[in-house]
Amino acid sequence: MADIVIINPKFEISFWGFEAGLRFLGKRANLPVGALPLLAALTPTEHRVTLIDENVETLDFDRCARADIVGITGMSVQRRRMREIAAELKRRGCFVVIGGPWVSVSEDYFGGLADVIFVGEAEETWPRFLKERQAGHAARRYEQTEKTDMTRVPAPRFDLLKMNRYAFGSVQFSRGCPFQCEFCDIIVVYGRRPRIKRPAQIIAELEALRTAKASLVFVVDDNLIGNKKEMKKILRDVIAWQQAKGFPLTFATEASLDLADDDELMRLMVEANFNCVFVGIESVDENALRETKKIQNMRRSGTLTEKVRRIQDTGMEVWAGMIVGFDSDTDAVFESQRRFIAGSRISLVMVGMLSAIPGTPLHARLTREGRLDASDSPDHGTNVLPLQMNREALSRGYVLLMTDLYEPTAFFDRVDELWIGGPLITEPGWRRFAASRPWLRLRKQARSWLEAVVVTARVILQLNDNSLRKLYLGRVIGALRRRPDGVLLRLYAIRCAMHFHLHALTRQLRTQDGRLINTY
Ligand code: B12
Ligand code: SF4
């Protein structure tokens, strides 16, 4: 038997980390990373596993030093902390193994600090490593030859995490994405063939989340709709489960923009109670989309704005990813993105400077062209040397764009245009079901009102910026007057908390000279 500790290191501040807004939700992190509870479930029961998420609890190095194996996971925005932790563990004589999205694309990053590394998925290699180590002949590097068969993945051990400290629960329906965007490492590591769990696996995980009293759940798929036909079947099962249980969960996820071309798929998502979908739009310029092979976003069934509106009109909010710094971008890109977003009713938009993640076709091309900054902390926030702008102009334009987007009035005008001013209602799937069930309606509305009041009160009482406090309160009262609905008000109050994070993030971007956070 081995005593195993697996660590999720502290994240650096990032767009989706929501670090500055979490206290208003009474939470410490956005959601539990998928790897920790899954690795615990993959560990044979003869071993003892302890999970430590440094984002919600203290990392006790003395405890780690007593373990036989210490595992570390992490993505790009954790890589420096991963290295610090590994160094400290090595100083204490620990046996350190490292896996996850960062080491999978940057194998040499940890050098001698890792006794073993895991590249890519680990459903087969993790149990194999444990067996081989027990037998005294573990390798130094593991990589699966075949992609994981998702129909055999066990339910994650969320019971080993402090779930009440996270804002969202998490569940994974599928892995992989059929597209081939040039900058994307997801398809390099997880492949282009979407692989989906069986309905029974998914329903069991949803049931576990319900038992753990989660209400907001992020479906952590690379692209939920990679296989539309199969996903429709899954969604029908999720709808049946939601109806049988009284709609306990509200979902958010990530999907490609071709979602807008499939009415049935959008309808099924709405009926299953998906209320937000994060979409990589990247650019409004067809030349940039062509350059980066984002063909699914190119004009065929309408303009980008029309596609976004089609999704929004079903009752789902669109969150967007945008990129500046493509080869075809000139300094006009900032204004065109600003205009597009202002007219798109998208409140949450993550803009990043084009960055080349190791292992991607973009990284290979820019290496050939001699256009990469090899530093681990590039001076201007991205390792890409842009073609038609200098680096200062790119990072300056990026920071100004983010500042304009998260200027409080601009942000809340976008929120209001979507939810307050127009005919759209939040969670229409749940509402249709609850229409003939007054108790169900009442229960959810009461809970939502309470949460809306608590979050708003925290924002008002804990914020020490008077003008922001006034603005948030004014906006919430305005929303309350025009749409007195608990579910909508809860969403609105959460938007205040999210805005505060983005406001803090953009302020940090402005005041930081040299290294910019958040893009690479
Ligand atoms: C869902 C998701 C999110 C969600 C949830 C994030 C979270 N905290 O869990 C949201 C939308 C919030 C998000 C945010 C961000 N994300 Co994200 N996200 C994903 C996505 C699509 C799936 C992640 C997931 O849960 N997968 C399921 C789990 C089970 O898979 P896994 O972690 O890979 O684990 C498997 C193996 O890697 C391995 N393994 C992992 N760790 C370990 C450790 C050991 C010891 C071993 C043996 C094995 C092992 O075993 C597991 C089973 O096979 C990935 C893409 C991807 N497929 O990785 C991007 C991804 C991880 N995100 C990325 C980024 C950059 C971010 C942000 C920084 C973006 C931003 N600027 O805001 C933020 C960080 C926010 C934060 N603090 O959480 C990048 C990271 C790049 C990299 N290569 O490091 C990825 C790869 C996508 C991309 N290219 O853009 N993300
Ligand atoms: S659609 Fe998203 S996940 Fe798929 S290849 Fe493009 S960037 Fe990657």
Side-chain angles (χ1 to χ4, degrees):
M1 182 202 111
D3 179 23
I4 303 167
V5 172
I6 309 175
I7 301 167
N8 180 44
K10 186 124 186 89
F11 286 98
E12 289 173 17
I13 291 180
S14 66
F15 186 94
W16 290 120
F18 289 125
E19 289 83 0
L22 288 164
R23 67 188 158 122
F24 304 128
L25 309 181
K27 302 295 176 187
R28 299 204 196 166
N30 54 2
L31 63 153
V33 291
L36 256 54
L38 180 52
L39 289 167
L42 290 165
T43 306
T45 48
E46 76 224 52
H47 304 297
R48 178 176 159 207
V49 188
T50 305
L51 303 181
I52 303 178
D53 182 351
E54 209 190 357
N55 298 282
V56 303
E57 62 197 308
T58 309
L59 174 53
D60 179 352
F61 281 104
D62 293 337
R63 163 68 188 95
C64 297
R66 291 195 300 275
D68 301 304
I69 300 168
V70 185
I72 307 176
T73 187
M75 56 169 97
S76 49
V77 286
Q78 293 166 290
R79 64 188 190 273
R80 298 181 188 91
R81 182 63 187 148
M82 289 170 81
R83 200 150 59 181
E84 279 172 17
I85 293 173
E88 180 59 29
L89 292 171
K90 286 314 293 173
R91 250 193 305 281
R92 292 167 180 255
C94 298
F95 185 85
V96 177
V97 307
I98 301 184
W102 180 250
V103 76
S104 294
V105 294
S106 201
E107 288 193 30
D108 302 330
Y109 190 78
F110 301 100
L113 295 175
D115 293 289
V116 180
I117 61 163
F118 290 79
V119 175
E121 298 173 301
E123 275 73 13
E124 289 162 29
T125 47
W126 173 244
R128 191 191 324 142
F129 152 74
L130 291 173
K131 213 186 262 171
E132 289 178 359
R133 180 168 154 80
Q134 219 162 7
H137 56 81
R140 290 189 60 83
R141 177 187 184 279
Y142 286 84
E143 180 174 8
Q144 285 184 194
T145 42
E146 297 290 326
K147 295 276 178 267
T148 295
D149 174 357
M150 292 297 282
T151 66
R152 298 177 57 192
V153 172
R157 294 282 313 274
F158 285 113
D159 56 303
L160 297 179
L161 285 170
K162 298 175 177 60
M163 287 299 284
N164 58 353
R165 298 184 182 177
Y166 299 95
F168 282 84
S170 93
V171 62
Q172 188 169 43
F173 292 4
S174 72
R175 284 189 201 152
C177 172
F179 296 113
Q180 43 187 336
C181 308
E182 190 192 25
F183 55 82
C184 179
D185 61 327
I186 293 179
I187 45 174
V188 173
V189 178
Y190 305 88
R192 291 186 55 208
R193 188 173 62 81
R195 294 159 284 135
I196 310 185
K197 288 181 184 167
R198 281 179 290 106
Q201 291 169 281
I202 293 168
I203 299 302
E205 292 185 38
L206 298 184
E207 196 54 51
L209 286 165
R210 185 179 78 96
T211 312
K213 301 222 172 340
S215 70
L216 302 173
V217 171
F218 204 98
V219 182
V220 297
D221 291 24
D222 304 327
N223 176 1
L224 183 82
I225 61 163
N227 181 336
K228 294 196 180 89
K229 194 165 157 233
E230 288 304 311
M231 194 46 67
K232 285 178 187 174
K233 291 186 198 156
I234 301 279
L235 288 171
R236 287 195 182 92
D237 287 317
V238 175
I239 295 168
W241 179 83
Q242 286 271 50
Q243 292 181 346
K245 303 294 171 180
F247 273 77
L249 304 179
T250 303
F251 298 108
T253 194
E254 310 187 332
S256 43
L257 191 56
D258 52 319
L259 172 63
D261 301 332
D262 194 324
D263 290 335
E264 186 188 17
L265 188 50
M266 287 191 285
R267 187 181 54 75
L268 288 170
M269 285 176 70
V270 169
E271 294 307 317
N273 218 23
F274 279 78
N275 79 339
C276 296
V277 53
F278 175 71
V279 180
I281 293 177
E282 326 303 5
S283 180
V284 292
D285 178 357
E286 295 254 321
N287 293 321
L289 294 174
R290 193 171 302 110
E291 163 193 326
T292 199
K293 299 195 172 52
K294 195 120 199 161
I295 44 148
Q296 69 274 25
N297 285 16
M298 292 177 66
R299 183 193 281 263
R300 266 182 305 211
S301 53
T303 63
L304 289 171
T305 308
E306 285 163 352
K307 290 183 194 185
V308 167
R309 282 190 175 245
R310 282 212 292 272
I311 301 175
Q312 291 167 332
D313 287 344
T314 64
M316 280 186 287
E317 185 167 352
V318 174
W319 297 346
M322 303 294 293
I323 293 177
V324 290
F326 287 116
D327 288 1
S328 53
D329 284 350
T330 63
D331 56 9
V333 67
F334 307 111
E335 186 48 34
S336 62
Q337 295 222 355
R338 192 178 287 114
R339 240 182 297 120
F340 165 70
I341 294 157
S344 68
R345 303 188 296 182
I346 300 174
S347 56
L348 286 157
V349 46
M350 177 177 79
V351 186
M353 287 180 279
L354 182 69
S355 298
I357 298 179
T360 58
L362 176 69
H363 193 276
R365 176 167 70 82
L366 296 185
T367 306
R368 282 195 306 274
E369 294 174 9
R371 289 176 49 209
L372 280 182
D373 178 337
S375 154
D376 191 37
S377 300
D379 271 353
H380 297 277
T382 170
N383 59 347
V384 173
L385 308 182
L387 203 58
Q388 302 203 52
M389 276 177 264
N390 62 38
R391 302 175 85 190
E392 291 77 7
L394 176 62
S395 64
R396 199 172 45 243
Y398 159 69
V399 172
L400 280 176
L401 178 57
M402 283 290 282
T403 305
D404 286 355
L405 294 176
Y406 294 104
E407 191 280 313
T409 307
F411 174 83
F412 282 103
D413 283 353
R414 296 198 301 274
V415 177
D416 286 2
E417 209 192 330
L418 184 68
W419 291 124
I420 308 297
L424 292 184
I425 49 166
T426 51
E427 304 193 37
W430 163 73
R431 284 178 203 273
R432 270 191 287 276
F433 181 75
S436 55
R437 293 167 179 84
W439 273 113
L440 192 69
R441 219 168 48 230
L442 216 73
R443 204 177 57 203
K444 177 147 172 161
Q445 283 289 5
R447 188 176 164 178
S448 303
W449 276 111
L450 182 69
E451 283 176 24
V453 170
V454 170
V455 173
T456 309
R458 283 204 194 103
V459 170
I460 303 308
L461 296 173
Q462 294 177 11
L463 209 65
N464 49 14
D465 179 328
N466 240 338
S467 68
L468 263 188
R469 195 165 41 201
K470 250 201 219 144
L471 184 128
Y472 290 155
L473 191 60
R475 288 290 184 155
V476 172
I477 291 173
L480 175 68
R481 283 213 185 102
R482 292 165 74 186
R483 300 292 277 280
D485 174 274
V487 176
L488 180 64
L489 260 292
R490 178 178 76 153
L491 179 142
Y492 210 93
I494 294 175
R495 291 299 170 274
C496 292
M498 287 174 154
H499 176 265
F500 184 70
H501 167 67
L502 297 167
H503 177 79
L505 183 95
T506 47
R507 196 173 43 204
Q508 200 167 332
L509 286 175
R510 279 196 306 275
T511 51
Q512 213 161 18
D513 35 83
R515 198 184 135 232
L516 280 176
I517 48 174
N518 197 32
T519 53
Y520 175 57

